[in-house]
Amino acid sequence: MNRIICSLLIFFISVSYVKAQTDFAREFYPLFKKGFELTLEVAEAMPDSLYSFKPQDGAMTFGQQIIHCTYGADGAIDIYVMGNKERQYIEPDASKMSKSEIVEAVKKYSKNSLENMNKLTEEQLPDSINIFGHFKTTKKEAFYFLRDHITNHRGQANLYIRIAGLLTPNWGYFK
């Protein structure tokens, strides 16, 4: 009997969660989540000793690429999309972080970004915002921009792994 009650409880909680999501979140969430998962795989593929690697002067280090793309999403969503006036955009200094600290940060920033996306209502998605003071967009469009931003920096970090002579993680949304 307890098993049936627990199963029903879990079912109703998950149904209410799905109903709480906007149509956009239901469609975009799996893609955004997978992008963060792929970034985590890239972060885990590079040895700790090469987190300060960069292919040339003026380029970001591997650790900076990983922190920049994931903190960028978390910070932009929290500050500009969600309107958190208490938070300032201050990117952590990856040069002072170990691989394990960066991997944990990726997990945290991913979780925060996905949770915030699920807090938005359909009525809020078309609201106009000004991201980083540089361009005007809607809250919904900001998620597409941030997905591209993550992909760009993850791709650069992936290339750093290849330049270092290491094997990159298998890419794929379908694995």
Side-chain angles (χ1 to χ4, degrees):
M1 186 67 167
N2 283 342
R3 193 176 239 173
I4 293 171
I5 292 171
C6 285
S7 296
L8 286 172
L9 182 61
I10 290 169
F11 171 76
F12 287 117
I13 289 171
S14 36
V15 166
S16 65
Y17 173 74
V18 169
K19 285 189 173 206
Q21 284 186 311
T22 62
D23 288 339
F24 169 73
R26 269 192 302 279
E27 293 171 8
F28 194 75
Y29 184 95
L31 299 171
F32 207 39
K33 182 178 184 240
K34 187 64 173 180
F36 282 120
E37 290 169 356
L38 293 170
T39 303
L40 183 59
E41 288 179 21
V42 170
E44 290 173 336
M46 184 68 105
D48 195 4
S49 62
L50 293 177
Y51 259 62
S52 60
F53 173 75
K54 58 182 176 179
Q56 64 187 40
D57 288 339
M60 289 183 185
T61 66
F62 178 85
Q64 287 170 324
Q65 292 283 1
I66 298 296
I67 283 294
H68 177 70
C69 70
T70 55
Y71 180 84
D74 178 43
I77 292 168
D78 191 35
I79 296 166
Y80 302 105
V81 176
M82 302 306 292
N84 182 354
K85 305 272 189 240
E86 302 294 315
R87 183 173 176 183
Q88 292 183 348
Y89 190 93
I90 302 171
E91 200 166 289
D93 185 351
S95 70
K96 296 179 181 174
M97 299 170 76
S98 67
K99 173 182 177 174
S100 61
E101 290 171 323
I102 290 175
V103 164
E104 287 307 309
V106 169
K107 292 175 185 176
K108 174 184 161 189
Y109 301 147
S110 303
K111 182 178 181 276
N112 292 346
S113 297
L114 292 164
E115 285 176 356
N116 274 331
M117 182 177 68
N118 281 323
K119 291 178 185 175
L120 292 172
T121 66
E122 284 294 334
E123 295 76 30
Q124 293 171 313
L125 288 169
D127 289 353
S128 182
I129 58 171
N130 192 357
I131 288 192
F132 301 114
H134 297 294
F135 64 92
K136 200 171 196 169
T137 188
T138 66
K139 290 181 177 186
K140 182 177 180 178
E141 290 168 342
F143 284 98
Y144 289 104
F145 161 76
L146 292 167
R147 180 175 172 219
D148 284 352
H149 182 257
I150 291 166
T151 302
N152 173 53
H153 289 282
R154 179 179 65 243
Q156 290 180 49
N158 205 39
L159 184 58
Y160 287 21
I161 293 171
R162 286 191 185 272
I163 291 170
L166 303 169
L167 292 177
T168 59
N170 290 330
W171 180 88
Y173 273 83
F174 310 108
K175 48 180 175 167

